[in-house]
């Protein structure tokens, strides 16, 4: 069983809809949670970063972490065609030298149709 | 411009023919890493390096070699490529600063390798 599970999609939504993405994990030691966005033919880029449990909001993006359920979510409000990409969750047990052990989900492909 | 540069971006080769994928970063990052990305499997770490002359295995190191002779460069070497190494490869780098770092990884644009 993988440490991090993520539905690969594709997830197709109409423009303006809310996109809801999630990952589950098995390692209770994970404390740092990230979402990366990857456009076609490009490398991933960091979108959101959260430490421990709670919510974090950045513009149209909201990241939630529920450590008791080992579940993290990313919500995209008022989705735009430019949000069409693959979204990867990633998590780590600690900072500094633990960055070398980031565990990634498989990524969810999102398509926002005009 | 801050970036991670990989070369080549695309390569088709044959089984057993040694190849090297270069990676260079201009951000003075201590940490560098190689990943392969396969459908349904996501990003899997091959090797990583915390600093010059310091390298360690990731989750899928078999069939690969790396070296870190300079801080900016981290080449990936396939001594005898096989078809199961056909994949999309990404190099990434990051700071290893003290508490407060987000550990953000900066990725290159990827190298698509096909081994026939």
């Amino acid at each position: 069983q993988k440490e991090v599970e993520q539905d690969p999609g594709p997830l197709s939504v109409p423009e303006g809809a809310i996109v809801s993405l999630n990952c589950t994990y098995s390692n209770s030691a994970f404390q740092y949670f990230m979402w990366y966005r990857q456009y076609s033919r490009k490398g991933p880029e960091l979108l959101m970063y959260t430490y421990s449990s709670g919510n974090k909001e950045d513009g149209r993006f909201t990241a939630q972490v529920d450590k008791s359920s080992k579940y993290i979510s990313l919500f995209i409000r008022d989705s735009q065609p430019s949000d069409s990409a693959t979204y990867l969750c990633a998590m780590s047990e600690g900072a500094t030298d633990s960055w070398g052990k980031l565990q990634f989900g498989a990524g969810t492909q999102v398509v926002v149709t005009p | 411009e801050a970036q991670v540069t990989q070369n080549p971006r695309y390569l088709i080769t044959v089984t057993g023919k040694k190849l090297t994928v270069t990676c260079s970063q201009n951000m003075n990052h201590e940490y560098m890493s190689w990943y392969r990305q396969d459908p349904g499997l996501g990003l899997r770490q091959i090797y990583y390096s915390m600093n010059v002359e310091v390298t360690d295995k990731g989750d899928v190191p078999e069939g690969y070699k790396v070296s870190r002779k300079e801080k900016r460069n981290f080449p990936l070497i396939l001594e005898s490529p096989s078809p199961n190494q056909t994949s999309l490869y990404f190099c990434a780098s990051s700071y290893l600063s003290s508490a407060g770092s987000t550990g953000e990884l900066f990725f290159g644009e990827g190298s698509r390798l096909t081994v026939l």
Side-chain angles (χ1 to χ4, degrees), chain B residues 30-65:
Chain B
E30 300 92 349
Y31 174 80
M32 296 186 75
S33 181
W34 277 102
Y35 293 86
R36 60 178 290 174
Q37 188 175 38
D38 302 287
L41 297 177
L43 283 167
R44 293 182 293 167
Q45 190 177 53
I46 302 170
Y47 270 95
Y48 65 96
S49 169
M50 295 291 190
N51 215 326
V52 175
E53 302 292 1
V54 179
T55 63
D56 209 346
K57 296 178 180 179
D59 297 319
V60 288
E62 294 78 19
Y64 305 94
K65 285 176 59 177

Side-chain angles (χ1 to χ4, degrees), chain A residues 2 32 34 36 38 41-46 49 88 95-107, chain B residues 9 31 35 37 40-43 45 48 50 57 59 90 95-98 101-105 107-109:
Chain A
K2 295 180 192 175
Y32 294 82
M34 301 153 201
Y36 280 79
Q38 184 178 16
R41 303 183 196 284
K42 297 289 186 182
E45 55 182 355
L46 183 66
Y49 160 85
L88 301 100
T96 59
D97 63 351
S98 290
W99 298 134
K101 292 298 183 184
L102 267 183
Q103 291 294 320
F104 283 87
Chain B
R9 295 286 314 280
Y31 174 80
Y35 293 86
Q37 188 175 38
L41 297 177
L43 283 167
Q45 190 177 53
Y48 65 96
M50 295 291 190
K57 296 178 180 179
D59 297 319
F90 286 100
Y95 288 112
L96 280 178
S97 58
S98 57
S101 165
T102 65
E104 177 179 3
L105 285 174
F107 285 85
E109 296 212 317

